[in-house]
Amino acid sequence: MDDSNVQIDQILDRSQFRQLPLFTIGIGLLFIGYAIAQQLILRERNFPIMVWFAVGCAVFIFSLPAIARRMESPEKHANVFIGSIAIAVLSSTLLRLYATLDPKQSANLILFMVAAGAVFVSRKWFLSLLALTLGGWSIYALFMTPIPSDEGVLIFWFLVLFSSGLTAIILHLARARVVLRSVEGEVSERIQKVEVKELASQLTTSAGVGHRITSILEKERLLKQITALIQENYQIHYAAVYLPEQQGLTAQLSLVAESGEWLATSQTPDTNAFFLDVLGVYQNGMITGMDESTPRNQFYPKQVTMVRPLKMANQRLGVLALQSRSKSSLTDSDQQVFQLLADQISVALENARLYEQITEMNMALEQKVQERTRELQIAYAKLERLDKTKSDFITIASHELKTPLTLINVYNQMFLSDDKILDNEAYRKWTENIDSGATRLNEIVERMEDVAMIDSQSLDLYMAPLSLSFLFASIKSNLRASFEGREISFSLNALGELPEIEGDTVALEKAFLQILTNSIKYTPNGGAVAVNGRFHPADESKTDSVELIISDSGVGIAPELKELIFEKFYQSGDVKLHSSSQTAFKGGGAGIGLAIAKGIVEAHEGQIWVESQGFDEESLPGSHFHVILPLRQSESTASLV
């Protein structure tokens, strides 16, 4: 376990050290650029100090690779190098805060904490940097605030810094966990490869000795065939193999395999003499008082015995015992032959032992695979049940809400047609608000029904020729109030040049309404939304198709969220920012609009995806939703199946 931990630490240090050139170049150039910007453009309060400090930090950072090259084991100090760069960045950031006395510079500390959480795997270094960051800001807040009225601003920045610190901790823990798991897997894989390589080497060595002997890996069957082969081919009366029941010199020997007729009988002066020789050879490695390779006469002149130890290096594996009534069967010239046989048996026993180990390992691995497979199946079944439960809840909730919603609409329409209520301004306003809320609730219920039908694959589509320019003109009319209320310009480009397609007008209008509503929601006031279209002939794709691109000048989408935004109930922002308005800026919703759009597009055998340079509320990179629809539907597309 300790060796495994050392390997993990070495891999982590090596990984961190490999990032040192990137950090030194990137951060060093960043400091130089920052110094130039302060000197020529920003010229903030006390900027000369910040310029010289930035230059000094750049020189220090650029010198780190040279320092590392002079060290004997620089990889062990990878965290020190990276941490030194981080401390330089933190010092520069705090210096700018102290020099300008501008609370807005606290935002740089937020970025630093998040970056530290993403970069450092070492918990000690990360927490130290986090403490230094918060401590440095606290010095500013307690001793360097020039205006008492800034207390509210400082409280705001304190809360933001505190929240960002928690976010950085979560990010650090998640990344450290992923990295450690990856490294542990790599180390485990290396260890397993070494073990398998060692076993393969042992098996390869054993396989090179005597195909007939070493090709049988079952010990009992192997030894039985060996004893029969010796007894038959060398014309001796008895051959046997004894193996210890346990390791050690005091171990009891057991007869594992024999062939022929044992010559010792009850008429022998000492019926145990043969076995005593066998035990003595195992314990001492030779026959007592005689060389182990010399045939020995037992109590009858016609009886000759030879006992050979089975050894691998210094390990005693057992004993090979041979008996014959003829001296010609066990002669001095046979010594090398039986020594080779004993060595082959030893190798075969070792090979059999390795085979048992591999079998046990395979069984253990197979059992682990089965256990993991069962766990995955159970987890997958749970997820399926949860998803089905969610879908069932949507279906039940939508049906349950329809009845009271219908009653609300009916009675509210009665109120709206009552002159007494309309003459009373307060009553009329209340009634109109009820009508607006009921309409909004009805839209939500309809969306829930759409999601339920998509999940159950029961979304009915009525295909008919459809003009996209006419469809988007209708959508533009429906969303006119939303665009005008947010002062967002909306343009349709080149849609009149597109050919007609086959599709369900109501379903496609609903899908594009969801996409456009999303674009409005994440585009600031005064922005722009545009719809462009182009035709793709069959030579560029499987069939003739049209592509619609809905572009906006909004805040954009982070790369890791490009797939998630099309999942049911996914919220890209804070769920607490929920808004009753469908198009309020960054207002939350039910999180099912884009899931409905995806389901409808795919039901038309189409494709939908989003492209964006990332999420940025300042530069506003915008988003581009791409929808490809075939001109003609296949014959089987009558419903979502």
Side-chain angles (χ1 to χ4, degrees):
M1 188 68 179
D2 294 338
D3 185 47
S4 177
N5 291 334
V6 170
Q7 291 187 47
I8 291 174
D9 292 339
Q10 290 175 349
I11 292 175
L12 289 175
D13 291 340
R14 192 179 304 115
S15 176
Q16 290 286 88
F17 187 75
R18 287 173 180 171
Q19 299 178 21
L20 181 60
L22 177 63
F23 276 107
T24 55
I25 295 173
I27 304 300
L29 292 176
L30 186 63
F31 269 114
I32 293 175
Y34 171 68
I36 295 173
Q38 281 287 358
Q39 181 69 31
L40 302 179
I41 302 173
L42 299 176
R43 301 184 70 83
E44 295 175 325
R45 184 172 177 266
N46 295 320
F47 75 91
I49 298 175
M50 289 184 280
V51 170
W52 283 110
F53 188 81
V55 172
C57 288
V59 172
F60 166 71
I61 291 172
F62 283 132
S63 66
L64 289 178
I67 296 174
R69 284 193 295 269
R70 293 177 175 272
M71 299 179 67
E72 184 176 350
S73 300
E75 293 182 353
K76 295 182 180 180
H77 306 285
N79 280 318
V80 176
F81 289 126
I82 304 296
S84 300
I85 296 175
I87 291 173
V89 174
L90 176 61
S91 301
S92 177
T93 306
L94 289 173
L95 177 62
R96 188 178 183 188
L97 177 64
Y98 296 159
T100 60
L101 298 179
D102 184 2
K104 294 180 180 179
Q105 300 299 330
S106 303
N108 296 325
L109 297 177
I110 295 173
L111 295 176
F112 176 80
M113 288 190 295
V114 174
V119 170
F120 283 93
V121 178
S122 169
R123 186 171 300 175
K124 178 179 68 176
W125 272 98
F126 169 71
L127 293 178
S128 299
L129 291 171
L130 192 64
L132 289 173
T133 304
L134 296 177
W137 187 87
S138 300
I139 293 174
Y140 163 75
L142 294 174
F143 304 109
M144 305 181 70
T145 307
I147 304 174
S149 61
D150 284 348
E151 291 182 359
V153 176
L154 290 175
I155 293 173
F156 166 77
W157 282 110
F158 170 75
L159 295 175
V160 174
L161 281 167
F162 181 76
S163 301
S164 301
L166 294 178
T167 302
I169 291 173
I170 294 172
L171 177 61
H172 166 75
L173 293 175
R175 182 176 184 273
R177 184 177 181 182
V178 170
V179 171
L180 285 176
R181 283 190 175 183
S182 175
V183 174
E184 287 172 356
E186 182 180 348
V187 172
S188 176
E189 183 178 359
R190 288 183 179 181
I191 293 174
Q192 290 180 359
K193 285 182 178 180
V194 171
E195 292 176 351
V196 172
K197 186 176 180 181
E198 291 176 353
L199 290 175
S201 177
Q202 293 173 354
L203 289 174
T204 302
T205 303
S206 300
V209 182
H211 292 291
R212 178 154 186 156
I213 295 177
T214 57
S215 61
I216 302 174
L217 298 175
E218 295 179 6
K219 183 168 58 179
E220 288 77 8
R221 187 163 67 94
L222 169 65
L223 295 178
K224 286 179 181 179
Q225 290 198 14
I226 290 173
T227 54
L229 180 66
I230 295 173
Q231 191 262 331
E232 292 174 4
N233 290 350
Y234 291 92
Q235 299 179 355
I236 59 176
H237 289 83
Y238 184 71
V241 174
Y242 290 84
L243 299 180
E245 295 180 358
Q246 61 185 10
Q247 296 297 323
L249 297 178
T250 60
Q252 297 295 321
L253 294 178
S254 299
L255 178 62
V256 179
E258 62 178 344
S259 179
E261 179 185 358
W262 185 34
L263 298 180
T265 64
S266 58
Q267 297 176 354
T268 307
D270 187 355
T271 56
N272 293 324
F274 174 77
F275 184 75
L276 290 175
D277 281 339
V278 170
L279 185 60
V281 169
Y282 175 76
Q283 293 178 343
N284 303 315
M286 60 182 65
I287 296 176
T288 305
M290 297 179 62
D291 184 79
E292 61 176 348
S293 63
T294 303
R296 177 180 180 183
N297 291 327
Q298 293 274 38
F299 309 94
Y300 294 104
K302 296 181 179 179
Q303 183 176 327
V304 182
T305 300
M306 178 180 288
V307 183
R308 309 289 295 183
L310 304 177
K311 298 186 296 183
M312 285 290 293
N314 295 325
Q315 184 181 3
R316 294 179 174 88
L317 303 179
V319 174
L320 170 65
L322 306 172
Q323 274 189 330
S324 178
R325 288 193 178 99
S326 173
K327 292 184 178 181
S328 61
S329 300
L330 298 173
T331 63
D332 292 341
S333 61
D334 294 328
Q335 295 177 19
Q336 294 182 351
V337 174
F338 288 110
Q339 179 63 51
L340 177 61
L341 286 173
D343 292 341
Q344 286 179 312
I345 295 172
S346 300
V347 173
L349 287 172
E350 181 68 9
N351 193 26
R353 184 185 68 82
L354 293 175
Y355 174 74
E356 291 177 355
Q357 284 186 352
I358 292 176
T359 302
E360 292 175 358
M361 288 178 60
N362 287 337
M363 292 177 62
L365 287 174
E366 184 177 355
Q367 183 178 359
K368 287 184 179 180
V369 170
Q370 291 176 352
E371 291 175 357
R372 296 297 182 268
T373 302
R374 285 195 296 269
E375 291 174 0
L376 288 174
Q377 290 174 344
I378 293 171
Y380 182 73
K382 287 182 179 178
L383 289 175
E384 281 190 328
R385 288 198 298 270
L386 288 173
D387 191 65
K388 186 178 184 303
T389 302
K390 194 161 49 177
S391 299
D392 292 343
F393 171 77
I394 295 172
T395 303
I396 295 171
S398 61
H399 283 291
E400 291 294 327
L401 288 173
K402 270 205 162 184
T403 300
L405 184 59
T406 301
L407 293 174
I408 293 173
N409 282 326
V410 170
Y411 285 113
N412 195 60
Q413 292 301 319
M414 294 173 63
F415 289 151
L416 287 173
S417 61
D418 192 322
D419 293 337
K420 293 182 180 180
I421 291 178
L422 296 177
D423 291 340
N424 188 310
E425 183 177 354
Y427 290 170
R428 178 178 56 79
K429 184 176 180 181
W430 295 345
T431 307
E432 289 175 351
N433 287 339
I434 293 173
D435 184 65
S436 175
T439 301
R440 172 68 171 145
L441 182 58
N442 188 65
E443 292 174 354
I444 295 174
V445 171
E446 288 181 354
R447 290 188 186 180
M448 293 171 65
E449 288 181 332
D450 290 336
V451 170
M453 285 189 291
I454 290 172
D455 283 344
S456 62
Q457 298 181 346
S458 59
L459 182 64
D460 293 328
L461 299 177
Y462 301 96
M463 301 300 177
L466 173 61
S467 169
L468 291 171
S469 61
F470 177 79
L471 176 67
F472 275 93
S474 175
I475 294 174
K476 182 177 182 180
S477 176
N478 292 336
L479 293 177
R480 187 183 305 277
S482 298
F483 281 112
E484 292 178 353
R486 295 283 311 284
E487 299 179 352
I488 296 174
S489 64
F490 181 43
S491 60
L492 303 175
N493 306 315
L495 298 186
E497 301 174 3
L498 298 178
E500 287 187 343
I501 67 169
E502 283 185 355
D504 186 306
T505 303
V506 176
L508 287 176
E509 181 177 2
K510 189 178 298 182
F512 287 114
L513 271 172
Q514 300 298 340
I515 298 173
L516 286 167
T517 300
N518 184 81
S519 296
I520 297 172
K521 185 183 297 184
Y522 291 99
T523 300
N525 293 354
V529 176
V531 180
N532 295 277
R534 56 190 176 193
F535 172 69
H536 292 296
D539 57 351
E540 297 182 9
S541 58
K542 295 181 180 179
T543 182
D544 290 341
S545 59
V546 294
E547 182 178 5
L548 298 160
I549 304 100
I550 296 94
S551 304
D552 61 61
S553 60
V555 297
I557 299 172
E560 65 272 14
L561 304 182
K562 290 180 180 179
E563 297 293 335
L564 292 176
I565 61 173
F566 294 104
E567 298 294 330
K568 292 180 298 184
F569 307 112
Y570 178 77
Q571 296 282 352
S572 61
D574 191 344
V575 296
K576 293 183 289 186
L577 298 178
H578 184 86
S579 173
S580 60
S581 172
Q582 297 185 58
T583 55
F585 181 56
K586 293 175 62 178
I592 58 177
L594 292 180
I596 293 172
K598 180 182 179 182
I600 292 174
V601 170
E602 291 181 347
H604 282 78
E605 300 180 341
Q607 302 175 27
I608 182 172
W609 72 92
V610 65
E611 295 179 355
S612 177
Q613 295 181 359
F615 178 85
D616 194 326
E617 296 188 24
E618 295 183 0
S619 62
L620 301 175
S623 303
H624 306 278
F625 285 84
H626 294 255
V627 177
I628 293 182
L629 296 169
L631 262 61
R632 299 290 177 266
Q633 298 292 323
S634 63
E635 295 181 0
S636 60
T637 310
S639 62
L640 186 61
V641 294

